[in-house]
Amino acid sequence: MRAMLNTMKTHLLQGENLVLVTVVASSGATPRGAGARMLVGPQGRITGTIGGGAVEYRSEQIAREVLAEGQSRNHQFSLTKDDVQNLGMICGGNVTVYFHYLPAGDRKILALAEDAEARFAEDQAFWLVCDLTEGGRLCLADKSTPELAEYLTRHPQRVQVNGRELYIEQLNSPGKVYIFGGGHVAQELVPVLSHVGFACVVMDDREEFSKPELFPGARQVILGDFRRIGDFVSIGEEDYVCVMTRGHAFDTLVQAQVLKCGPCYCGVIGSRHKAAGVRKILKEEYGLTEAELDRVTTPIGLDIKGETPAEIAISIAAQMILVRAERSGL
């Protein structure tokens, strides 16, 4: 969404009228769920997708109508058996799409895009609120917004607040991915995770594996001491951790510190046999509880039978995408 907002700003400043097309509700086996978006201009789709296929094609047509009329509106695709056949779809379900008209040079939208970029840059947690009862009026909110605080969750939702129907979606979470060990798997993993919206921080205690150029897309690369990771990073409940140092001893040392921080995900590279031995050490020598040890995912990643660093990186990224989606209630 960060890239889409910047693209939106550019086109509005260039004098183009736009339509922000958003899936605000879905049920059944639809192509994309709530939060899927695309940006449409006079020449057609500019960026984003709401799932492709006939629904997206029809939505692009409706967006052109909205551009001509200059009025925002809703449209519901009720994909019953007959509708599915008529639309050429394979899956069924219902999709509610909101078409938000954005006039060229709109100062409020431009200000919102600038505000959002500043919040992204500062890694703040914030949400986009679309008032569906007031022509799709947009604003940003955070936990300090009194009347909306209870509705600011990880899951996109439509809610009724003081007689208004709002669509609320989180745009940014402050959670990061802390990767301990800058070896070959980490070098393959960081670009993949960055591409799907994870903010990555890499730490190693070897200078040759702590060079920023090895990790395209990383937020930060740290040369530090695995015995004192708290001196270099601050891990919280919103954060993810991948442990892949150069040896079992360092993996164990990092886990002993990380698990006390309670990250939402802690994946450790290695075999099940290794994991059993490390678990025993962590319990007996470091005093970790069974509950803390149960937070460890090892072997890390989904079992896709991959062997190369690139394949292992894909399996890890897939698992983390799954964890993120489940935490969002998807």
Side-chain angles (χ1 to χ4, degrees):
M1 191 60 189
R2 183 178 188 175
M4 184 174 288
L5 285 170
N6 285 327
T7 299
M8 178 192 304
K9 177 183 174 182
T10 298
H11 284 261
L12 290 175
L13 288 172
Q14 291 174 348
E16 289 186 37
N17 298 325
L18 303 172
V19 177
L20 180 62
V21 181
T22 306
V23 176
V24 296
S26 66
S27 62
T30 56
R32 291 286 301 276
R37 286 190 174 89
M38 66 178 179
L39 191 65
V40 179
Q43 307 304 316
R45 186 178 70 87
I46 297 170
T47 187
T49 178
I50 60 170
V55 169
E56 182 167 298
Y57 174 74
R58 177 61 182 135
S59 293
E60 189 173 331
Q61 291 180 318
I62 294 172
R64 290 176 183 272
E65 296 172 7
V66 170
L67 282 171
E69 298 165 1
Q71 294 290 329
S72 302
R73 60 163 133 148
N74 264 322
H75 186 88
Q76 183 166 352
F77 295 94
S78 298
L79 306 180
T80 63
K81 182 179 179 180
D82 290 339
D83 293 322
V84 169
Q85 186 175 15
N86 291 337
L87 285 169
M89 300 288 289
I90 296 175
C91 50
N94 297 314
V95 184
T96 302
V97 181
Y98 194 79
F99 297 83
H100 186 178
Y101 175 68
L102 306 171
D106 188 301
R107 292 186 178 181
K108 291 182 179 179
I109 297 300
L110 290 172
L112 180 142
E114 291 177 359
D115 187 9
E117 177 56 31
R119 293 176 187 239
F120 275 121
E122 295 176 6
D123 208 21
Q124 297 180 11
F126 69 101
W127 286 255
L128 180 66
V129 181
C130 180
D131 192 333
L132 303 178
T133 58
E134 292 189 13
R137 184 173 62 87
L138 296 175
C139 68
L140 302 181
D142 54 41
K143 290 294 187 178
S144 66
T145 311
E147 64 174 356
L148 298 178
E150 65 180 291
Y151 304 107
L152 304 182
T153 66
R154 298 188 189 94
H155 185 55
Q157 57 182 323
R158 291 170 75 180
V159 297
Q160 296 287 333
V161 180
N162 298 329
R164 296 176 296 156
E165 184 179 15
L166 307 179
Y167 172 73
I168 303 175
E169 181 187 358
Q170 187 169 18
L171 293 190
N172 190 54
S173 168
K176 296 182 177 67
V177 181
Y178 291 96
I179 301 171
F180 293 97
H184 298 301
V185 174
Q187 292 170 33
E188 295 285 355
L189 179 60
V190 169
V192 176
L193 289 179
S194 299
H195 189 66
V196 293
F198 287 97
C200 299
V201 176
V202 182
M203 178 175 165
D204 204 298
D205 62 351
R206 300 165 292 177
E207 187 173 355
E208 64 270 29
F209 288 96
S210 304
K211 298 178 179 179
E213 59 267 27
L214 295 176
F215 307 99
R219 288 283 185 89
Q220 188 178 10
V221 181
I222 300 169
L223 174 62
D225 187 343
F226 287 142
R227 295 169 298 181
R228 300 179 293 105
I229 63 175
D231 291 349
F232 303 92
V233 298
S234 179
I235 298 171
E237 296 179 354
E238 293 292 316
D239 297 318
Y240 301 73
V241 171
C242 297
V243 182
M244 47 185 69
T245 72
R246 64 182 180 278
H248 296 181
F250 286 111
D251 282 354
T252 304
L253 186 61
V254 170
Q255 286 180 74
Q257 298 169 77
V258 163
L259 291 174
K260 293 295 184 181
C261 302
C264 68
Y265 171 88
C266 180
V268 182
I269 203 163
S271 67
R272 288 182 174 84
H273 176 72
K274 169 201 166 185
V278 170
R279 185 182 180 100
K280 183 178 180 181
I281 294 172
L282 289 171
K283 184 176 181 180
E284 295 179 356
E285 298 185 16
Y286 291 93
L288 269 71
T289 67
E290 290 292 337
E292 289 171 330
L293 294 170
D294 286 343
R295 298 179 71 92
V296 176
T297 298
T298 186
I300 194 172
L302 300 182
D303 185 6
I304 61 172
K305 310 302 181 185
E307 297 181 355
T308 68
E311 291 170 337
I312 295 170
I314 293 295
S315 76
I316 296 169
Q319 187 173 67
M320 292 176 62
I321 291 169
L322 176 61
V323 171
R324 180 173 64 180
E326 290 176 341
R327 294 184 72 236
S328 298
L330 301 178

